[in-house]
CSV table of all heavy atoms in Angstrom, one decimal:
chain,number,residue,atom,x,y,z
A,416,MET,N,93.0,115.4,114.1
A,416,MET,CA,93.1,116.8,114.7
A,416,MET,C,94.2,117.0,115.7
A,416,MET,O,94.7,118.0,115.9
A,416,MET,CB,91.8,117.2,115.3
A,416,MET,CG,90.8,117.8,114.4
A,416,MET,SD,89.8,116.6,113.5
A,416,MET,CE,88.5,116.3,114.6
A,417,GLU,N,94.5,115.9,116.5
A,417,GLU,CA,95.3,116.1,117.7
A,417,GLU,C,96.6,115.3,117.5
A,417,GLU,O,96.7,114.4,116.6
A,417,GLU,CB,94.6,115.6,118.9
A,417,GLU,CG,93.3,116.4,119.2
A,417,GLU,CD,92.6,115.9,120.4
A,417,GLU,OE1,93.2,115.5,121.4
A,417,GLU,OE2,91.3,115.8,120.4
A,418,ASN,N,97.5,115.5,118.4
A,418,ASN,CA,98.8,114.8,118.4
A,418,ASN,C,98.6,113.5,119.2
A,418,ASN,O,99.1,113.3,120.3
A,418,ASN,CB,99.9,115.6,119.0
A,418,ASN,CG,100.6,116.5,117.9
A,418,ASN,OD1,100.4,116.1,116.7
A,418,ASN,ND2,101.2,117.5,118.2
A,419,ILE,N,97.8,112.6,118.6
A,419,ILE,CA,97.6,111.3,119.2
A,419,ILE,C,98.0,110.3,118.0
A,419,ILE,O,97.5,110.5,116.9
A,419,ILE,CB,96.2,111.0,119.6
A,419,ILE,CG1,95.8,112.0,120.7
A,419,ILE,CG2,96.0,109.6,120.1
A,419,ILE,CD1,94.4,111.9,121.2
A,420,ILE,N,98.9,109.3,118.3
A,420,ILE,CA,99.2,108.4,117.2
A,420,ILE,C,99.0,107.0,117.7
A,420,ILE,O,99.0,106.7,118.9
A,420,ILE,CB,100.7,108.6,116.8
A,420,ILE,CG1,101.6,108.4,118.0
A,420,ILE,CG2,101.0,110.0,116.2
A,420,ILE,CD1,103.1,108.3,117.7
A,421,ALA,N,98.7,106.1,116.7
A,421,ALA,CA,98.5,104.7,116.9
A,421,ALA,C,99.6,104.0,116.2
A,421,ALA,O,99.8,104.2,115.0
A,421,ALA,CB,97.1,104.3,116.5
A,422,VAL,N,100.3,103.1,116.8
A,422,VAL,CA,101.4,102.4,116.2
A,422,VAL,C,101.2,100.9,116.4
A,422,VAL,O,101.0,100.4,117.6
A,422,VAL,CB,102.7,102.8,116.9
A,422,VAL,CG1,103.9,102.0,116.4
A,422,VAL,CG2,103.0,104.3,116.7
A,423,ALA,N,101.2,100.1,115.4
A,423,ALA,CA,101.0,98.7,115.5
A,423,ALA,C,102.4,98.0,115.4
A,423,ALA,O,103.1,98.1,114.4
A,423,ALA,CB,100.1,98.2,114.3
A,424,ALA,N,102.7,97.4,116.5
A,424,ALA,CA,104.0,96.6,116.6
A,424,ALA,C,103.7,95.1,116.7
A,424,ALA,O,103.3,94.6,117.7
A,424,ALA,CB,104.8,97.1,117.8
A,425,THR,N,103.7,94.5,115.6
A,425,THR,CA,103.3,93.1,115.4
A,425,THR,C,101.9,92.8,116.0
A,425,THR,O,100.9,93.2,115.3
A,425,THR,CB,104.4,92.1,116.1
A,425,THR,OG1,105.7,92.7,115.8
A,425,THR,CG2,104.3,90.8,115.4
A,426,ASN,N,101.8,92.3,117.2
A,426,ASN,CA,100.4,92.0,117.7
A,426,ASN,C,100.0,93.0,118.8
A,426,ASN,O,99.1,92.7,119.5
A,426,ASN,CB,100.2,90.6,118.1
A,426,ASN,CG,101.3,90.1,119.0
A,426,ASN,OD1,102.2,90.9,119.4
A,426,ASN,ND2,101.3,88.9,119.4
A,427,ASN,N,100.8,94.0,119.0
A,427,ASN,CA,100.4,95.0,120.1
A,427,ASN,C,100.1,96.3,119.4
A,427,ASN,O,100.8,96.7,118.5
A,427,ASN,CB,101.6,95.2,121.1
A,427,ASN,CG,101.9,94.0,121.9
A,427,ASN,OD1,101.0,93.3,122.4
A,427,ASN,ND2,103.2,93.6,122.0
A,428,LEU,N,99.1,97.0,120.0
A,428,LEU,CA,98.8,98.4,119.5
A,428,LEU,C,99.2,99.4,120.6
A,428,LEU,O,98.8,99.2,121.8
A,428,LEU,CB,97.3,98.5,119.2
A,428,LEU,CG,96.8,99.8,118.8
A,428,LEU,CD1,97.2,100.1,117.4
A,428,LEU,CD2,95.3,100.0,118.9
A,429,TYR,N,100.0,100.3,120.2
A,429,TYR,CA,100.4,101.4,121.1
A,429,TYR,C,99.7,102.7,120.7
A,429,TYR,O,99.7,103.0,119.6
A,429,TYR,CB,101.9,101.6,121.1
A,429,TYR,CG,102.7,100.4,121.6
A,429,TYR,CD1,103.1,99.4,120.7
A,429,TYR,CD2,103.0,100.2,123.0
A,429,TYR,CE1,103.7,98.2,121.2
A,429,TYR,CE2,103.7,99.1,123.4
A,429,TYR,CZ,104.0,98.1,122.5
A,429,TYR,OH,104.7,97.0,123.0
A,430,ILE,N,99.2,103.4,121.7
A,430,ILE,CA,98.6,104.7,121.5
A,430,ILE,C,99.4,105.7,122.3
A,430,ILE,O,99.5,105.6,123.5
A,430,ILE,CB,97.1,104.8,121.8
A,430,ILE,CG1,96.4,103.8,120.9
A,430,ILE,CG2,96.6,106.2,121.6
A,430,ILE,CD1,94.9,103.7,121.2
A,431,PHE,N,100.1,106.7,121.6
A,431,PHE,CA,100.9,107.7,122.3
A,431,PHE,C,100.2,109.0,122.1
A,431,PHE,O,99.6,109.3,121.0
A,431,PHE,CB,102.3,107.7,121.7
A,431,PHE,CG,103.0,106.4,121.9
A,431,PHE,CD1,103.3,105.7,120.7
A,431,PHE,CD2,103.4,106.0,123.1
A,431,PHE,CE1,104.0,104.5,120.8
A,431,PHE,CE2,104.1,104.8,123.2
A,431,PHE,CZ,104.4,104.0,122.1
Side-chain angles (χ1 to χ4, degrees):
M416 272 84 88
E417 299 175 42
N418 274 337
I419 299 175
I420 58 169
V422 174
T425 322
N426 51 1
N427 294 315
L428 178 72
Y429 295 90
I430 297 175
F431 301 110

